[in-house]
Amino acid sequence: MTTTAAAMAAQPLLAQVPAVRPSPPLRAPVVARPLPPAIPAPSPSGAAAAQPGAPVPGNPDYTPEIVQTPGSVPVPPPLPPAIWDVASAEQLLAYIRQIGVEGLNPADYDPDGLSAALQSGDPARMSQVATEHFNRVSSDLAFGHVKRSQRIDWFVVDKDLDSARQDSLLRSALATHQITEALNSLLPTHPQYAALKAALAKSSPTQASKINHIRLNMDRWRWLPRELGDKYIIVNVPGFHATLVENGVNRWKQRAIAGKLSTPTPQLNATAVGVILNPWWEVPKSIEKEAAGKKGFVPVKGEDGKIQRWRQPPGPTNALGQIKFVMPNSKAIYLHDTNARSRFNDSTRALSHGCVRTQHILGLATELLGDDEGEWTPDKIEATLASKKTVQANFVKPLPVYIVYFSAAALLDGSIVDYKDLYGRDPKAMVALNMKDGGASLVPPKPKQEVASK
């Protein structure tokens, strides 16, 4: 156990910032529309590497990742460098020295360098060094210390901070002399982060393994958006549970089945707009050979007559059961029912091809379809299922879904629940967490292209 780790465990807690509930939106219409069973949809643009639910032409569960490209709007000239006063720089230095309470290592943020700049008596040097330190700390509080390259199968979009907001946050903090408050405003608001933080503070300095495990999972909360939403679904793969959270309270929680070791479930976020009743199953490209030409599977051909993909029609043998969630994403991963519900009784439920089989998912869909004065009553849902027709039923208000990977959770008494590191993702992330640069230097540089001489 290092002196640094011991110091991190012994620090006091910081206040948790509560989430604010937004006003409810206007009621939107509920849409029910039959889906054509065999006509392929237009092929999505772009392609992705082979994943558990890898896209195939016309797969309705797939949507390409949107790559932001610079627009044609003129970029305003940069503002002059921020000017720091001594009191604000001392606030920043004090924050860095106690950042162990957040599971981060103070030495990673060079407190000695900032202290030397403070003592130099050079306002320009102090301002430059303090701004660099503020940017480094604020970035890690907003996005996590472990760099994205060291997160296995991580595809969650987090827009908590960009360079413009970071600069605005800094200048506002300097104007009001509230550096500490500005940095705290970037911390995760989820109660589980606060619980892990409390457990870290209660941990004995001799419990190095426990402390590191808590620190890693605190950092994983920073990988997510700070505000997850007023109402959302979160699936923790190692815990094998899917939970509906509303106003910070678990409203619904059931068992889940995640991807097996050969087809691991990736971590991502998507927006669920509704459900498909009596769904067709679009067979993933990665397991197409298991379905091609077999009884009960239907080929979908392109204009050239060639088979593009295979589908399984609704029915008692359909792998998706009676219902699946509509939540298009770049990995074609979604929540769904199953025709093998007995597998929810297994203790280790890593059995799927990557998607998340969810116990009693019809009950979850029924609740969500009825929210906000939705017109989809339980009777209407049952009647549609009995009709055997494939129908999409939309939620009045779409909600976010987060599929995440936490190998530890904290209880209110400070004790830790450990989950098996199912896919072996902890070691790589832990190495990066303990590096000053968060693992950025572990990415090999791109080879330089040699220019052929004439």
Side-chain angles (χ1 to χ4, degrees), residues 158-239:
D158 184 357
K159 300 180 181 179
D160 281 345
L161 196 67
D162 57 23
S163 58
R165 187 188 168 208
Q166 188 175 51
D167 183 70
S168 177
L169 182 71
L170 168 59
R171 293 176 189 275
S172 175
L174 288 173
T176 57
H177 306 288
Q178 293 184 319
I179 299 297
T180 298
E181 291 81 0
L183 293 173
N184 283 345
S185 73
L186 299 171
L187 295 172
T189 62
H190 196 282
Q192 184 53 213
Y193 182 83
L196 285 168
K197 186 172 170 179
L200 178 65
K202 294 178 181 179
S203 298
S204 167
T206 62
Q207 298 174 296
S209 178
K210 177 185 177 183
I211 287 173
N212 282 332
H213 203 199
I214 294 172
R215 292 176 57 227
L216 174 58
N217 284 279
M218 287 178 70
D219 206 55
R220 281 182 166 130
W221 279 109
R222 290 186 284 265
W223 301 358
L224 291 169
R226 182 172 183 267
E227 301 287 352
L228 300 183
D230 184 50
K231 181 171 68 175
Y232 59 89
I233 296 170
I234 187 165
V235 178
N236 184 26
V237 171

Side-chain angles (χ1 to χ4, degrees), residues 45-389:
S45 59
Q51 293 289 339
V56 292
N59 187 342
D61 304 306
Y62 169 77
T63 185
E65 291 186 46
I66 299 176
V67 180
Q68 300 292 338
T69 55
S72 58
V73 179
V75 178
L79 295 172
I83 303 300
W84 285 71
D85 58 89
V86 172
S88 293
E90 288 177 341
Q91 266 194 69
L92 176 60
L93 180 59
Y95 194 96
I96 290 173
R97 285 175 171 165
Q98 62 78 61
I99 205 169
V101 299
E102 307 300 340
L104 297 171
N105 187 343
D108 291 343
Y109 305 97
D110 186 27
D112 293 341
L114 179 55
S115 179
L118 262 165
Q119 296 171 13
S120 70
D122 182 345
R125 178 188 171 192
M126 180 186 71
S127 293
Q128 178 185 352
V129 173
T131 296
E132 292 171 354
H133 282 59
F134 179 91
N135 289 343
R136 192 184 313 168
V137 172
S138 59
S139 292
D140 280 7
L141 293 180
F143 299 123
H145 185 68
V146 175
K147 297 301 176 277
R148 188 168 186 141
S149 61
Q150 303 309 304
R151 308 173 191 178
I152 301 173
D153 276 352
W154 182 264
F155 304 99
V156 175
V157 177
D158 184 357
K159 300 180 181 179
D160 281 345
L161 196 67
D162 57 23
S163 58
R165 187 188 168 208
Q166 188 175 51
D167 183 70
S168 177
L169 182 71
L170 168 59
R171 293 176 189 275
S172 175
L174 288 173
T176 57
H177 306 288
Q178 293 184 319
I179 299 297
T180 298
E181 291 81 0
L183 293 173
N184 283 345
S185 73
L186 299 171
L187 295 172
T189 62
H190 196 282
Q192 184 53 213
Y193 182 83
L196 285 168
K197 186 172 170 179
L200 178 65
K202 294 178 181 179
S203 298
S204 167
T206 62
Q207 298 174 296
S209 178
K210 177 185 177 183
I211 287 173
N212 282 332
H213 203 199
I214 294 172
R215 292 176 57 227
L216 174 58
N217 284 279
M218 287 178 70
D219 206 55
R220 281 182 166 130
W221 279 109
R222 290 186 284 265
W223 301 358
L224 291 169
R226 182 172 183 267
E227 301 287 352
L228 300 183
D230 184 50
K231 181 171 68 175
Y232 59 89
I233 296 170
I234 187 165
V235 178
N236 184 26
V237 171
F240 298 116
H241 281 94
T243 307
L244 172 64
V245 181
E246 186 168 13
N247 300 326
V249 178
N250 290 354
R251 172 177 159 185
W252 180 97
K253 184 175 181 178
Q254 294 292 341
R255 295 179 178 182
I257 293 173
K260 53 190 175 182
L261 299 186
S262 59
T263 53
T265 299
Q267 301 146 96
L268 54 86
N269 59 331
T271 299
V273 299
V275 298
I276 301 289
L277 304 174
N278 299 317
W280 284 67
W281 178 37
E282 311 292 338
V283 179
K285 198 70 176 176
S286 58
I287 58 169
E288 188 177 78
K289 292 182 179 179
E290 298 179 21
K294 293 185 179 179
K295 182 180 179 181
F297 292 90
V298 178
V300 178
K301 298 180 180 180
E303 294 181 358
D304 57 2
K306 294 183 179 180
I307 296 176
Q308 294 182 328
R309 68 183 194 274
W310 290 83
R311 313 177 80 198
Q312 185 183 36
T317 62
N318 187 281
L320 305 185
Q322 293 183 302
I323 192 169
K324 79 168 187 179
F325 272 58
V326 180
M327 42 181 282
N329 57 81
S330 65
K331 304 303 170 187
I333 297 295
Y334 49 88
L335 280 60
H336 66 86
D337 186 20
T338 177
N339 63 343
R341 297 187 180 96
S342 62
R343 303 308 299 270
F344 287 116
N345 296 323
D346 295 355
S347 57
T348 300
R349 297 186 290 277
L351 306 166
S352 79
H353 294 111
C355 287
V356 180
R357 306 176 196 172
T358 309
Q359 189 175 32
H360 304 309
I361 192 172
L362 179 58
L364 172 62
T366 301
E367 286 194 34
L368 293 173
L369 287 169
D371 280 356
D372 307 297
E373 301 181 9
E375 298 176 5
W376 279 91
T377 64
D379 288 344
K380 184 176 180 179
I381 294 170
E382 287 297 328
T384 303
L385 290 173
S387 74
K388 308 300 182 183
K389 294 180 181 179

